[in-house]
Amino acid sequence: MTGPDVVLKTVPGVCGDNLPLRFGSAYDAAIVYDGAAEELTFQTKDAAGSLIDRVALRAGINNPSLVVNDPGADMDVRLEGDNDANLLFLDASVDRVGVGTATPGSKLTVNGSLAFTTLGAAADLNSQALTNANIDSGTVDGAVIGGA
């Protein structure tokens, strides 16, 4: 017979639908399952020493989602690719996103090429800095901006 190495179950009347697993001698980290909310959270201590949600997996029928940095803390998020350590980097301290860079200089910074078939633009596009853009003809690198 094969199966999981460890099975954890809540005990009716003892901990309800919640099952916390705590780690470290001072409970520095925890994994908490909340059955009522259908949510699994990964927690670590903040600067004040309180456990806070860092990642939440929500499987509920009304709001299935993956939430990273739920409390809105200054916690960067980095997704690695096979050859790019900063394939996607979220810099929480400045609320910026980097693609291919860990130091985004604006709301979205792309270190590499960007491909699209159609680019919709706001009316104030003329005030923005673009490379290989021709505002008069409505193209960026040959792709049409907007569309009829």
Side-chain angles (χ1 to χ4, degrees), residues 43-59:
Q43 303 173 336
T44 59
K45 287 189 175 179
D46 62 8
S50 301
L51 283 173
I52 61 170
D53 293 352
R54 298 298 186 175
V55 176
L57 298 171
R58 297 181 176 141

Side-chain angles (χ1 to χ4, degrees), residues 33-141:
Y33 174 70
D34 182 341
E38 296 180 314
E39 178 176 274
L40 181 67
T41 58
F42 298 85
Q43 303 173 336
T44 59
K45 287 189 175 179
D46 62 8
S50 301
L51 283 173
I52 61 170
D53 293 352
R54 298 298 186 175
V55 176
L57 298 171
R58 297 181 176 141
I61 201 164
N62 295 323
N63 189 23
S65 59
L66 168 66
V67 179
V68 178
N69 195 16
D70 199 18
D74 182 4
M75 182 183 81
D76 297 339
V77 176
R78 182 171 53 94
L79 300 177
E80 291 190 16
D82 189 28
N83 298 303
D84 190 340
N86 297 299
L87 185 61
L88 183 63
F89 187 85
L90 310 176
D91 189 336
S93 66
V94 292
D95 295 326
R96 293 179 179 169
V97 177
V99 177
T101 179
T103 54
S106 60
K107 191 67 165 178
L108 174 64
T109 300
V110 178
N111 182 12
S113 60
L114 177 63
F116 50 85
T117 55
T118 302
L119 174 64
D124 66 350
L125 182 61
N126 288 321
S127 66
Q128 305 301 313
L130 294 173
T131 303
N132 298 320
N134 185 331
I135 302 301
D136 294 327
S137 68
T139 63
V140 175
D141 288 334

Side-chain angles (χ1 to χ4, degrees), residues 1-8:
M1 183 169 115
T2 61
D5 293 329
V6 176
V7 175
L8 301 171

